[in-house]
Amino acid sequence: VGSATVSVGMLLGDVNGDTFSNHAVNSSDVSQVQFESGHPVTTGNFRCDVTASGDINSSDVSAVQTQSGTGF
């Protein structure tokens, strides 16, 4: 069995799964995390728990706001 190298791009705070293929953290991501804040983490919103704390809260909102305007 051979080996292979795979490159995966990941952008902290890009919680909408890059719906628009813009590879950017923007106001849509901030809005989505704000909407999910206070809700339990589920299979449908786990990307909003960007701090991986098990809760979606103001820390996640702050983290996404900090990354807003970044991309690759």
Side-chain angles (χ1 to χ4, degrees):
V1 174
S3 64
T5 302
V6 177
S7 180
V8 177
M10 182 179 225
L11 185 59
L12 176 68
D14 188 12
V15 299
N16 63 11
D18 233 342
T19 304
F20 303 108
S21 298
N22 61 6
H23 304 288
V25 180
N26 54 35
S27 61
S28 296
D29 299 295
V30 174
S31 294
Q32 187 168 353
V33 176
Q34 287 173 330
F35 175 79
E36 294 293 346
S37 185
H39 294 146
V41 177
T42 67
T43 57
N45 68 7
F46 69 94
R47 288 180 186 90
C48 292
D49 182 17
V50 295
T51 61
S53 65
D55 297 305
I56 303 170
N57 54 35
S58 60
S59 295
D60 300 298
V61 174
S62 293
V64 176
Q65 287 173 329
T66 299
Q67 295 298 314
S68 187
T70 62
F72 63 89

